């Protein structure tokens, strides 16, 4: 299982590095769409998510990973869907790997911590029947002064993106509108 994930991860990083456009949109500590990409995941307990940094990231930012569905304007709050937070404590170079619950040399590596919502049923838990992972940050726009979600990248293995999210969409999500095509991965549901 780990070999397949590493192989997928290596191939995905190579393709992402070749295809990444130079984007002028930057937010959240200089990070913009596509600067961090999910390159591998395992949806059988334990859930594992492997990401790679495609552009250097300075220390000091806060980023989030969620399996909560995006409805086009906000994330829905559903049971068994949650959000994890990652604080960038040191500058990361291009090609640095980020990991959530990955096993390496017998040790579990986790750079993310759960965001406390006050509801224990809202937990990051990838569904083996298919799910969506969205990476984002919160940016403070100059005009409104309110924090806004800024999507960085997204991946789904539910077979595609939908146009209308309800509380029974089973891991599917609306495609975040600000993400260019080269920052989104869509996979059919696949059982090895």
């Amino acid at each position: 299982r780990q070999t397949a994930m590493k192989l997928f991860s290596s191939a995905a990083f190579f393709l992402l590095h070749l295809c990444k456009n130079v984007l002028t949109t930057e937010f959240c500590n200089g990070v913009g769409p596509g600067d961090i990409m999910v390159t591998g995941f395992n949806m059988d307990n334990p859930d594992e998510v492997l990401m790679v940094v495609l552009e250097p990231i300075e220390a000091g930012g806060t980023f989030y990973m969620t399996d909560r569905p995006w409805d086009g304007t906000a994330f829905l709050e559903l049971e068994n869907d949650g959000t994890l937070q990652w604080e960038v404590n040191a500058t990361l170079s291009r090609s640095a790997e980020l990991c959530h619950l990955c096993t390496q040399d017998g040790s579990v590596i986790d750079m993310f911590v759960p965001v406390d919502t006050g509801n224990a049923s809202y937990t990051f838990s990838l569904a083996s029947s298919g799910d969506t992972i969205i990476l984002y940050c919160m940016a403070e726009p100059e005009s409104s002064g309110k924090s806004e979600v800024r999507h960085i990248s997204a991946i789904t293995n539910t077979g595609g993106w939908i146009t209308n999210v309800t509380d029974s969409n089973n891991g599917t999500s609306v495609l975040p509108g600000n993400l260019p095509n080269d920052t989104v991965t869509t996979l059919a549901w696949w059982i090895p």
Side-chain angles (χ1 to χ4, degrees), residues 23 41 62 67 71 80 93 117 128 172 187:
L23 300 172
F41 56 87
T62 301
D67 62 343
D71 73 1
N80 297 318
S93 62
T117 62
S128 58
T172 57
L187 304 170

Side-chain angles (χ1 to χ4, degrees), residues 5-20:
M5 187 169 154
K6 286 182 181 180
L7 195 91
F8 173 73
S9 175
S10 298
F13 174 74
F14 177 74
L15 291 172
L16 291 170
H17 189 66
L18 285 178
C19 296
K20 173 123 175 45

Side-chain angles (χ1 to χ4, degrees), residues 29 57-63 86-92:
N29 208 31
I57 298 175
E58 297 296 320
T62 301
F63 298 90
W86 165 56
E87 302 281 340
V88 183
N89 296 323
T91 299
L92 295 172

Side-chain angles (χ1 to χ4, degrees), residues 2-152:
Q2 286 182 352
T3 305
M5 187 169 154
K6 286 182 181 180
L7 195 91
F8 173 73
S9 175
S10 298
F13 174 74
F14 177 74
L15 291 172
L16 291 170
H17 189 66
L18 285 178
C19 296
K20 173 123 175 45
N21 291 335
V22 177
L23 300 172
T24 57
T25 304
E26 290 185 352
F27 40 76
C28 300
N29 208 31
V31 174
D35 288 350
I36 306 169
M37 296 289 291
V38 173
T39 57
F41 56 87
N42 179 34
M43 294 178 164
D44 291 330
N45 293 331
D47 293 340
E48 299 171 304
V49 182
L50 183 63
M51 290 151 278
V52 68
V53 174
L54 296 179
E55 294 297 330
I57 298 175
E58 297 296 320
T62 301
F63 298 90
Y64 302 91
M65 175 173 59
T66 189
D67 62 343
R68 293 168 52 200
W70 177 253
D71 73 1
T73 58
F75 290 106
L76 297 181
E77 293 185 4
L78 304 177
E79 288 188 16
N80 297 318
D81 286 336
T83 303
L84 301 172
Q85 177 179 318
W86 165 56
E87 302 281 340
V88 183
N89 296 323
T91 299
L92 295 172
S93 62
R94 180 179 293 155
S95 79
E97 290 185 340
L98 309 175
C99 193
H100 168 62
L101 295 181
C102 297
T103 304
Q104 183 177 357
D105 300 326
S107 299
V108 175
I109 300 169
D110 194 358
M111 302 176 77
F112 290 81
V113 296
V115 172
D116 184 8
T117 62
N119 187 331
S121 64
Y122 297 157
T123 59
F124 186 88
S125 179
L126 299 175
S128 58
S129 59
D131 217 328
T132 298
I133 301 168
I134 299 175
L135 300 175
Y136 69 97
C137 59
M138 298 301 292
E140 189 131 341
E142 295 175 20
S143 59
S144 71
K146 285 177 39 179
S147 292
E148 291 184 2
V149 172
R150 303 293 183 166
H151 298 97
I152 297 169

